[in-house]
């Protein structure tokens, strides 16, 4: 990662801070964890700058598995090694596991009620709004280059408009983005 002048100063985050930070992310992460992860990691705890968070989330996006889980692994490893990784993962997954298990029991009893279906559609719309709002906030703070916008637009067009499969699009766009960014910074 390139040095970001607006980056937060590096400090070693304690094991307890990692666990409770990611516990809070997991507890609040309904409708998508990324908006809450960004809020807690960047704004509240100031562990990373927006650029650093975007870079880690980007790495997490191209790796197998959920991007915020991958980010937890990276952040935990950087600060407390394997113990930090385990604490971040446990923190992020503990409360969702408990809550989802309880919700599954309740949903099993009320799934046939039409209002429940309508409420789930509304929750999905709210979740999409959270993701879009977080993306716009990150764009405002990291100020992408025109090349970054072009790559993002290509991804949106390929997946959102043309409905091409995700894996081939990622396999083409990631190396293209890396090469284009390298070429752009070389100038």
């Amino acid at each position: 990662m390139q040095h970001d002048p607006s980056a937060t100063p590096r400090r070693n985050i304690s094991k307890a801070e990692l666990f409770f930070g990611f516990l809070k992310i997991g507890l609040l992460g309904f409708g998508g964890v990324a908006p809450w992860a960004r809020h807690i990691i960047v704004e509240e705890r100031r562990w990373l700058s927006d650029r650093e968070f975007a870079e880690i989330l980007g790495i997490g996006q191209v790796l197998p598995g959920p991007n915020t889980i991958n980010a937890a692994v990276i952040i935990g490893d950087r600060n407390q090694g394997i113990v930090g990784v385990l604490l971040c993962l446990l923190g992020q997954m503990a409360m969702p596991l408990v809550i989802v298990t309880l919700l599954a029991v309740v949903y099993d009893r009320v799934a046939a009620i039409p209002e429940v279906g309508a409420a789930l559609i509304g929750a999905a719309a709210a979740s999409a709004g959270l993701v879009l709002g977080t993306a716009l906030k990150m764009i405002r703070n990291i100020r992408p280059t025109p090349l970054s916008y072009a790559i993002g637009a290509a991804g949106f067009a390929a997946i959102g408009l043309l409905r091409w499969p995700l894996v081939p699009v990622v396999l083409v766009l990631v190396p293209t983005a890396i090469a284009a960014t390298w070429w752009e910074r070389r100038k």
Side-chain angles (χ1 to χ4, degrees), residues 51-63 67-68 70-71 74 138 170 174:
R51 179 174 296 280
E52 292 167 324
F53 180 76
E55 289 171 350
I56 287 175
L57 207 59
I59 291 167
Q61 189 71 39
V62 299
L63 295 172
N67 55 5
T68 56
N70 293 336
I74 294 167
M138 287 173 65
V170 168
V174 168

Side-chain angles (χ1 to χ4, degrees), residues 139-152:
I139 285 172
R140 182 186 71 219
N141 292 334
I142 65 174
R143 296 180 182 87
T145 64
L147 178 62
S148 299
Y149 282 116
I151 292 168

Side-chain angles (χ1 to χ4, degrees), residues 98-113:
V98 170
I99 293 167
V100 168
T101 302
L102 293 173
L103 286 174
V105 170
V106 171
Y107 182 73
D108 188 47
R109 298 177 194 270
V110 298
I113 300 171

